[in-house]
mmCIF file of all heavy atoms in Angstrom:
data_model
loop_
_atom_site.group_PDB
_atom_site.id
_atom_site.type_symbol
_atom_site.label_atom_id
_atom_site.label_comp_id
_atom_site.label_asym_id
_atom_site.label_seq_id
_atom_site.Cartn_x
_atom_site.Cartn_y
_atom_site.Cartn_z
ATOM 1 N N LEU H 7 179.720 170.649 280.533
ATOM 2 C CA LEU H 7 179.222 169.822 281.628
ATOM 3 C C LEU H 7 180.365 169.046 282.276
ATOM 4 O O LEU H 7 180.467 168.965 283.511
ATOM 5 C CB LEU H 7 178.158 168.846 281.117
ATOM 6 C CG LEU H 7 176.788 169.445 280.766
ATOM 7 C CD1 LEU H 7 175.963 168.444 279.954
ATOM 8 C CD2 LEU H 7 176.031 169.848 282.022
ATOM 9 N N THR H 8 181.225 168.481 281.441
ATOM 10 C CA THR H 8 182.346 167.685 281.952
ATOM 11 C C THR H 8 183.301 168.544 282.769
ATOM 12 O O THR H 8 183.748 168.158 283.854
ATOM 13 C CB THR H 8 183.098 167.022 280.787
ATOM 14 O OG1 THR H 8 182.185 166.181 280.062
ATOM 15 C CG2 THR H 8 184.256 166.181 281.290
ATOM 16 N N GLN H 9 183.617 169.730 282.269
ATOM 17 C CA GLN H 9 184.539 170.615 282.973
ATOM 18 C C GLN H 9 183.936 171.093 284.293
ATOM 19 O O GLN H 9 184.597 171.078 285.340
ATOM 20 C CB GLN H 9 184.892 171.818 282.105
ATOM 21 C CG GLN H 9 185.899 172.758 282.759
ATOM 22 C CD GLN H 9 186.346 173.867 281.823
ATOM 23 O OE1 GLN H 9 185.933 173.918 280.660
ATOM 24 N NE2 GLN H 9 187.181 174.763 282.310
ATOM 25 N N ALA H 10 182.683 171.530 284.248
ATOM 26 C CA ALA H 10 182.044 172.033 285.466
ATOM 27 C C ALA H 10 181.912 170.939 286.515
ATOM 28 O O ALA H 10 182.131 171.181 287.704
ATOM 29 C CB ALA H 10 180.670 172.615 285.128
ATOM 30 N N TRP H 11 181.574 169.728 286.082
ATOM 31 C CA TRP H 11 181.446 168.624 287.025
ATOM 32 C C TRP H 11 182.805 168.282 287.652
ATOM 33 O O TRP H 11 182.906 168.067 288.851
ATOM 34 C CB TRP H 11 180.861 167.403 286.330
ATOM 35 C CG TRP H 11 180.593 166.257 287.271
ATOM 36 C CD1 TRP H 11 181.448 165.268 287.655
ATOM 37 C CD2 TRP H 11 179.370 166.011 287.978
ATOM 38 N NE1 TRP H 11 180.848 164.420 288.547
ATOM 39 C CE2 TRP H 11 179.576 164.848 288.767
ATOM 40 C CE3 TRP H 11 178.136 166.654 288.013
ATOM 41 C CZ2 TRP H 11 178.570 164.324 289.579
ATOM 42 C CZ3 TRP H 11 177.136 166.122 288.820
ATOM 43 C CH2 TRP H 11 177.356 164.977 289.595
ATOM 44 N N GLY H 12 183.827 168.255 286.838
ATOM 45 C CA GLY H 12 185.151 167.873 287.325
ATOM 46 C C GLY H 12 185.779 168.895 288.243
ATOM 47 O O GLY H 12 186.648 168.558 289.050
ATOM 48 N N GLU H 13 185.343 170.141 288.136
ATOM 49 C CA GLU H 13 185.957 171.188 288.942
ATOM 50 C C GLU H 13 185.113 171.606 290.132
ATOM 51 O O GLU H 13 185.399 172.626 290.775
ATOM 52 C CB GLU H 13 186.255 172.410 288.067
ATOM 53 C CG GLU H 13 187.307 172.117 287.008
ATOM 54 C CD GLU H 13 187.691 173.350 286.211
ATOM 55 O OE1 GLU H 13 187.292 174.458 286.607
ATOM 56 O OE2 GLU H 13 188.382 173.194 285.184
ATOM 57 N N ARG H 14 184.097 170.805 290.439
ATOM 58 C CA ARG H 14 183.329 171.113 291.638
ATOM 59 C C ARG H 14 184.230 170.981 292.865
ATOM 60 O O ARG H 14 184.989 170.026 292.983
ATOM 61 C CB ARG H 14 182.146 170.146 291.785
ATOM 62 C CG ARG H 14 181.044 170.365 290.756
ATOM 63 C CD ARG H 14 179.970 169.306 290.912
ATOM 64 N NE ARG H 14 180.573 167.976 290.847
ATOM 65 C CZ ARG H 14 180.204 166.951 291.603
ATOM 66 N NH1 ARG H 14 179.238 167.091 292.481
ATOM 67 N NH2 ARG H 14 180.791 165.780 291.476
ATOM 68 N N ALA H 15 184.153 171.935 293.759
ATOM 69 C CA ALA H 15 185.006 171.919 294.954
ATOM 70 C C ALA H 15 184.517 170.852 295.920
ATOM 71 O O ALA H 15 183.322 170.752 296.183
ATOM 72 C CB ALA H 15 184.975 173.283 295.622
ATOM 73 N N PRO H 16 185.439 170.040 296.464
ATOM 74 C CA PRO H 16 185.029 169.064 297.465
ATOM 75 C C PRO H 16 184.600 169.759 298.744
ATOM 76 O O PRO H 16 185.025 170.884 299.033
ATOM 77 C CB PRO H 16 186.293 168.224 297.689
ATOM 78 C CG PRO H 16 187.404 169.142 297.328
ATOM 79 C CD PRO H 16 186.884 170.004 296.205
ATOM 80 N N LEU H 17 183.754 169.109 299.511
ATOM 81 C CA LEU H 17 183.270 169.672 300.759
ATOM 82 C C LEU H 17 184.398 169.721 301.787
ATOM 83 O O LEU H 17 185.117 168.745 301.985
ATOM 84 C CB LEU H 17 182.117 168.815 301.302
ATOM 85 C CG LEU H 17 181.396 169.324 302.546
ATOM 86 C CD1 LEU H 17 180.656 170.611 302.219
ATOM 87 C CD2 LEU H 17 180.428 168.270 303.060
ATOM 88 N N THR H 18 184.552 170.870 302.434
ATOM 89 C CA THR H 18 185.549 171.034 303.479
ATOM 90 C C THR H 18 184.846 171.156 304.828
ATOM 91 O O THR H 18 183.983 172.014 305.022
ATOM 92 C CB THR H 18 186.388 172.305 303.244
ATOM 93 O OG1 THR H 18 187.038 172.189 301.964
ATOM 94 C CG2 THR H 18 187.437 172.478 304.335
ATOM 95 N N LEU H 19 185.192 170.272 305.769
ATOM 96 C CA LEU H 19 184.605 170.321 307.093
ATOM 97 C C LEU H 19 185.356 171.335 307.937
ATOM 98 O O LEU H 19 186.587 171.340 307.985
ATOM 99 C CB LEU H 19 184.672 168.939 307.749
ATOM 100 C CG LEU H 19 183.856 167.831 307.057
ATOM 101 C CD1 LEU H 19 184.077 166.501 307.767
ATOM 102 C CD2 LEU H 19 182.375 168.179 307.045
ATOM 103 N N VAL H 20 184.619 172.192 308.624
ATOM 104 C CA VAL H 20 185.253 173.242 309.411
ATOM 105 C C VAL H 20 185.423 172.842 310.871
ATOM 106 O O VAL H 20 186.134 173.502 311.614
ATOM 107 C CB VAL H 20 184.445 174.559 309.332
ATOM 108 C CG1 VAL H 20 184.426 175.069 307.912
ATOM 109 C CG2 VAL H 20 183.017 174.363 309.842
ATOM 110 N N ASP H 21 184.765 171.766 311.318
ATOM 111 C CA ASP H 21 184.902 171.298 312.688
ATOM 112 C C ASP H 21 185.478 169.895 312.701
ATOM 113 O O ASP H 21 185.430 169.176 311.698
ATOM 114 C CB ASP H 21 183.551 171.293 313.414
ATOM 115 C CG ASP H 21 183.026 172.697 313.649
ATOM 116 O OD1 ASP H 21 183.843 173.568 313.991
ATOM 117 O OD2 ASP H 21 181.825 172.903 313.458
ATOM 118 N N GLY H 22 185.990 169.487 313.854
ATOM 119 C CA GLY H 22 186.500 168.136 313.985
ATOM 120 C C GLY H 22 185.386 167.131 314.113
ATOM 121 O O GLY H 22 184.203 167.441 313.963
ATOM 122 N N ALA H 23 185.774 165.889 314.401
ATOM 123 C CA ALA H 23 184.791 164.822 314.511
ATOM 124 C C ALA H 23 183.840 165.087 315.660
ATOM 125 O O ALA H 23 184.201 165.642 316.698
ATOM 126 C CB ALA H 23 185.503 163.479 314.715
ATOM 127 N N ALA H 24 182.588 164.693 315.494
ATOM 128 C CA ALA H 24 181.570 164.833 316.529
ATOM 129 C C ALA H 24 180.554 163.725 316.335
ATOM 130 O O ALA H 24 180.545 163.045 315.306
ATOM 131 C CB ALA H 24 180.905 166.201 316.460
ATOM 132 N N ASP H 25 179.710 163.536 317.338
ATOM 133 C CA ASP H 25 178.688 162.502 317.220
ATOM 134 C C ASP H 25 177.796 162.785 316.017
ATOM 135 O O ASP H 25 177.415 163.929 315.758
ATOM 136 C CB ASP H 25 177.829 162.456 318.486
ATOM 137 C CG ASP H 25 178.633 161.993 319.691
ATOM 138 O OD1 ASP H 25 179.643 161.303 319.486
ATOM 139 O OD2 ASP H 25 178.251 162.338 320.824
ATOM 140 N N ALA H 26 177.475 161.746 315.259
ATOM 141 C CA ALA H 26 176.626 161.899 314.085
ATOM 142 C C ALA H 26 175.921 160.589 313.792
ATOM 143 O O ALA H 26 176.317 159.537 314.287
ATOM 144 C CB ALA H 26 177.461 162.331 312.875
ATOM 145 N N CYS H 27 174.879 160.670 312.984
ATOM 146 C CA CYS H 27 174.155 159.474 312.554
ATOM 147 C C CYS H 27 174.649 159.067 311.184
ATOM 148 O O CYS H 27 174.920 159.917 310.330
ATOM 149 C CB CYS H 27 172.657 159.750 312.494
ATOM 150 S SG CYS H 27 171.942 160.178 314.093
ATOM 151 N N GLY H 28 174.774 157.755 310.956
ATOM 152 C CA GLY H 28 175.234 157.250 309.679
ATOM 153 C C GLY H 28 174.224 156.326 309.040
ATOM 154 O O GLY H 28 173.084 156.215 309.503
ATOM 155 N N PRO H 29 174.614 155.636 307.961
ATOM 156 C CA PRO H 29 173.702 154.737 307.257
ATOM 157 C C PRO H 29 173.129 153.639 308.143
ATOM 158 O O PRO H 29 172.031 153.133 307.899
ATOM 159 C CB PRO H 29 174.574 154.147 306.138
ATOM 160 C CG PRO H 29 175.713 155.088 305.995
ATOM 161 C CD PRO H 29 175.940 155.675 307.344
ATOM 162 N N ASP H 30 173.881 153.257 309.174
ATOM 163 C CA ASP H 30 173.423 152.182 310.059
ATOM 164 C C ASP H 30 172.684 152.709 311.280
ATOM 165 O O ASP H 30 172.405 151.967 312.218
ATOM 166 C CB ASP H 30 174.622 151.342 310.518
ATOM 167 C CG ASP H 30 175.313 150.676 309.328
ATOM 168 O OD1 ASP H 30 174.590 150.262 308.404
ATOM 169 O OD2 ASP H 30 176.552 150.608 309.334
ATOM 170 N N GLY H 31 172.371 153.978 311.286
ATOM 171 C CA GLY H 31 171.636 154.537 312.407
ATOM 172 C C GLY H 31 172.516 155.367 313.310
ATOM 173 O O GLY H 31 173.622 155.762 312.943
ATOM 174 N N CYS H 32 172.019 155.651 314.505
ATOM 175 C CA CYS H 32 172.735 156.483 315.461
ATOM 176 C C CYS H 32 173.214 155.628 316.628
ATOM 177 O O CYS H 32 172.434 154.869 317.205
ATOM 178 C CB CYS H 32 171.834 157.594 315.993
ATOM 179 S SG CYS H 32 171.240 158.702 314.700
ATOM 180 N N ALA H 33 174.476 155.764 316.961
ATOM 181 C CA ALA H 33 175.021 155.038 318.113
ATOM 182 C C ALA H 33 174.640 155.779 319.378
ATOM 183 O O ALA H 33 174.949 156.961 319.537
ATOM 184 C CB ALA H 33 176.533 154.922 317.989
ATOM 185 N N VAL H 34 173.935 155.096 320.270
ATOM 186 C CA VAL H 34 173.502 155.721 321.515
ATOM 187 C C VAL H 34 174.337 155.165 322.647
ATOM 188 O O VAL H 34 174.289 153.951 322.918
ATOM 189 C CB VAL H 34 172.012 155.445 321.783
ATOM 190 C CG1 VAL H 34 171.582 156.122 323.081
ATOM 191 C CG2 VAL H 34 171.176 155.935 320.610
ATOM 192 N N PRO H 35 175.173 155.966 323.318
ATOM 193 C CA PRO H 35 176.014 155.458 324.411
ATOM 194 C C PRO H 35 175.156 155.033 325.586
ATOM 195 O O PRO H 35 174.094 155.625 325.828
ATOM 196 C CB PRO H 35 176.901 156.651 324.760
ATOM 197 C CG PRO H 35 176.100 157.842 324.333
ATOM 198 C CD PRO H 35 175.329 157.409 323.124
ATOM 199 N N PRO H 36 175.599 153.975 326.306
ATOM 200 C CA PRO H 36 174.832 153.545 327.478
ATOM 201 C C PRO H 36 174.876 154.598 328.562
ATOM 202 O O PRO H 36 175.849 155.334 328.707
ATOM 203 C CB PRO H 36 175.538 152.260 327.906
ATOM 204 C CG PRO H 36 176.927 152.416 327.402
ATOM 205 C CD PRO H 36 176.820 153.171 326.111
ATOM 206 N N ARG H 37 173.780 154.692 329.328
ATOM 207 C CA ARG H 37 173.757 155.630 330.445
ATOM 208 C C ARG H 37 174.635 155.117 331.574
ATOM 209 O O ARG H 37 174.690 153.926 331.827
ATOM 210 C CB ARG H 37 172.325 155.800 330.953
ATOM 211 C CG ARG H 37 171.394 156.526 329.991
ATOM 212 C CD ARG H 37 170.003 156.623 330.570
ATOM 213 N NE ARG H 37 169.434 155.268 330.759
ATOM 214 C CZ ARG H 37 168.336 155.030 331.477
ATOM 215 N NH1 ARG H 37 167.748 156.023 332.112
ATOM 216 N NH2 ARG H 37 167.871 153.806 331.571
ATOM 217 N N GLU H 38 175.301 156.058 332.230
ATOM 218 C CA GLU H 38 176.126 155.669 333.379
ATOM 219 C C GLU H 38 175.239 155.362 334.579
ATOM 220 O O GLU H 38 174.173 155.954 334.744
ATOM 221 C CB GLU H 38 177.095 156.796 333.730
ATOM 222 C CG GLU H 38 178.148 157.055 332.669
ATOM 223 C CD GLU H 38 179.111 158.128 333.101
ATOM 224 O OE1 GLU H 38 178.966 158.617 334.253
ATOM 225 O OE2 GLU H 38 179.984 158.483 332.297
ATOM 226 N N ASN H 39 175.719 154.408 335.415
ATOM 227 C CA ASN H 39 174.978 154.066 336.631
ATOM 228 C C ASN H 39 175.307 155.104 337.691
ATOM 229 O O ASN H 39 176.354 155.061 338.340
ATOM 230 C CB ASN H 39 175.394 152.660 337.115
ATOM 231 C CG ASN H 39 174.555 152.216 338.294
ATOM 232 O OD1 ASN H 39 173.730 152.966 338.791
ATOM 233 N ND2 ASN H 39 174.801 150.983 338.723
ATOM 234 N N THR H 40 174.443 156.092 337.818
ATOM 235 C CA THR H 40 174.710 157.195 338.755
ATOM 236 C C THR H 40 174.121 156.983 340.125
ATOM 237 O O THR H 40 174.324 157.780 341.033
ATOM 238 C CB THR H 40 174.143 158.515 338.161
ATOM 239 O OG1 THR H 40 172.751 158.350 337.958
ATOM 240 C CG2 THR H 40 174.817 158.837 336.855
ATOM 241 N N GLN H 41 173.420 155.885 340.310
ATOM 242 C CA GLN H 41 172.785 155.629 341.618
ATOM 243 C C GLN H 41 172.795 154.152 341.878
ATOM 244 O O GLN H 41 172.489 153.361 340.974
ATOM 245 C CB GLN H 41 171.350 156.183 341.613
ATOM 246 C CG GLN H 41 170.613 155.980 342.926
ATOM 247 C CD GLN H 41 169.219 156.583 342.883
ATOM 248 O OE1 GLN H 41 168.984 157.491 342.127
ATOM 249 N NE2 GLN H 41 168.338 156.048 343.676
#
């Protein structure tokens, strides 16, 4: 159990940063004044 737990591969992200929701919720950008 100890060996298998210690050798678990860490998660590798294949894309760069992008909008996401976190523990504090989702950040919603303000709408632009288009008119």
Side-chain angles (χ1 to χ4, degrees):
L7 287 166
T8 301
Q9 182 174 358
W11 185 272
E13 294 185 10
R14 289 176 306 141
L17 185 66
T18 301
L19 296 177
V20 297
D21 292 320
D25 293 336
C27 298
D30 298 323
C32 299
V34 181
R37 291 179 297 167
E38 293 183 3
N39 185 356
T40 59
Q41 181 178 335

